Amino acid sequence: MSVSTASKSAAAIDRARADGRAALVGYLPAGFPSVQDTIAAGIELARNGADLIEIGIPYSDPVMDGSVIQAATSQALEAGFRVQQVFEVVAGITAETDAAVLVMTYWNPVMRLGVDEFSRRLAEAGGAGLITPDLIPDEASEWLAASDKYELDRVFLVAPSSTTERMKSTVQASRGFVYAVSIMGVTGTRSQVSDAAEGVVSAARAAGAERVCVGLGVSTAEHVREIGSYADGVIVGTALVAALRDGGPAAVGALTSELSSGTRKS
């Protein structure tokens, strides 16, 4: 996996690794319940143990999001959230914290704004890169060029269904880390973590991945501990969004602190 010295995501994961722990990655939807709340919650994430932060762009037709995140993004869209406000969110968080802040988005909003324009503005806001769930490397030539130009990380997804060939091409195209989806399905909290996760991480490593983070279904410190024993980073989304919904940014901070207790590698 190619990693430039400028990779903010790789640096954040490596710092956690040097500290003897898995990196904690927290997800929040932009504009939920407001742009300012997203910024405040992102700062709480970073101050309470999150190494990387994913800011999701609300999208009208999500294919990967479970009900909690769908409801939050629908609320943000109804409140008038616009794609360009994501740069305000990223800048607001990066101005106050050292966390690597990535934007997670379906590809259509990036194309509509323009791949180069989006990339330039993300870099100017201090963003680390993009996580692109519905973009495959074979169709990403414009993004590969823009991410090189603006030194942004490009995080592609691999899954239990990825063939050896697909795994290899995805790992080679990724920079920063590879996002391993632990289950076939949508996001959401689950009582236990899928057995498939460890297999996906092993396959990604075999394909040359230096950093693999696992997401989908993580909601407790115990899940974090379990995944952190074999992955470089653990991604938590739904549980944090529910905390923000029910208790505001302070609740996000409290849950992050609890989750981060599971990152220490024994």
Side-chain angles (χ1 to χ4, degrees):
M1 181 167 57
S2 62
V3 178
S4 77
T5 51
S7 170
K8 292 179 180 175
S9 304
I13 292 167
D14 290 350
R15 279 196 300 271
R17 187 186 281 165
D19 194 29
R21 57 189 179 80
L24 181 62
V25 188
Y27 166 92
L28 296 168
F32 174 75
S34 71
V35 167
Q36 286 309 314
D37 283 319
T38 313
I39 293 170
I43 292 168
E44 285 287 331
L45 264 173
R47 287 183 179 162
N48 288 278
D51 303 282
L52 297 92
I53 296 170
E54 291 179 23
I55 299 297
I57 293 183
Y59 190 54
S60 56
D61 189 25
V63 291
M64 185 176 145
D65 300 321
S67 58
V68 172
I69 292 175
Q70 271 193 33
T73 55
S74 295
Q75 189 178 320
L77 289 170
E78 282 159 20
F81 180 84
R82 293 286 172 267
V83 168
Q84 304 198 25
Q85 288 175 288
V86 77
F87 306 117
E88 187 186 330
V89 173
V90 172
I93 298 170
T94 57
E96 298 289 332
T97 76
D98 293 330
V101 182
L102 298 108
V103 168
M104 184 171 198
T105 180
Y106 296 104
W107 197 238
N108 194 44
V110 181
M111 284 199 316
R112 287 193 63 172
L113 188 60
V115 180
D116 190 87
E117 169 78 357
F118 193 105
S119 302
R120 180 183 63 77
R121 293 183 64 178
L122 179 59
E124 282 174 359
L130 284 179
I131 300 167
T132 52
D134 64 343
L135 181 69
I136 54 172
D138 332 31
E139 295 169 5
S141 57
E142 211 179 337
W143 166 229
L144 298 182
S147 55
D148 282 346
K149 179 176 172 183
Y150 297 106
E151 297 192 316
L152 293 168
D153 292 334
R154 42 182 190 249
V155 179
F156 293 102
L157 277 67
V158 293
S161 59
S162 299
T163 62
T164 306
E165 195 178 319
R166 165 67 61 199
M167 184 69 79
K168 194 158 192 177
S169 66
T170 305
V171 165
Q172 284 173 345
S174 296
R175 177 164 59 224
F177 65 96
V178 175
Y179 191 126
V181 176
S182 60
I183 38 179
M184 301 305 290
V186 298
T187 60
T189 59
R190 289 176 173 76
S191 55
Q192 57 201 112
V193 176
S194 155
D195 303 340
E198 195 165 359
V200 182
V201 173
S202 298
R205 289 206 203 290
E210 292 171 36
R211 299 165 194 84
V212 188
C213 298
V214 172
L216 294 197
V218 183
S219 61
T220 67
E222 197 43 57
H223 289 165
V224 171
R225 190 171 292 110
E226 188 183 330
I227 292 174
S229 66
Y230 55 80
D232 303 291
V234 187
I235 302 164
V236 184
T238 298
L240 289 165
V241 178
L244 179 56
R245 177 195 68 203
D246 299 339
V252 170
L255 177 58
T256 306
S257 179
E258 190 183 313
L259 292 166
S260 71
S261 71
T263 59
R264 180 79 40 202
K265 294 193 184 251
S266 50

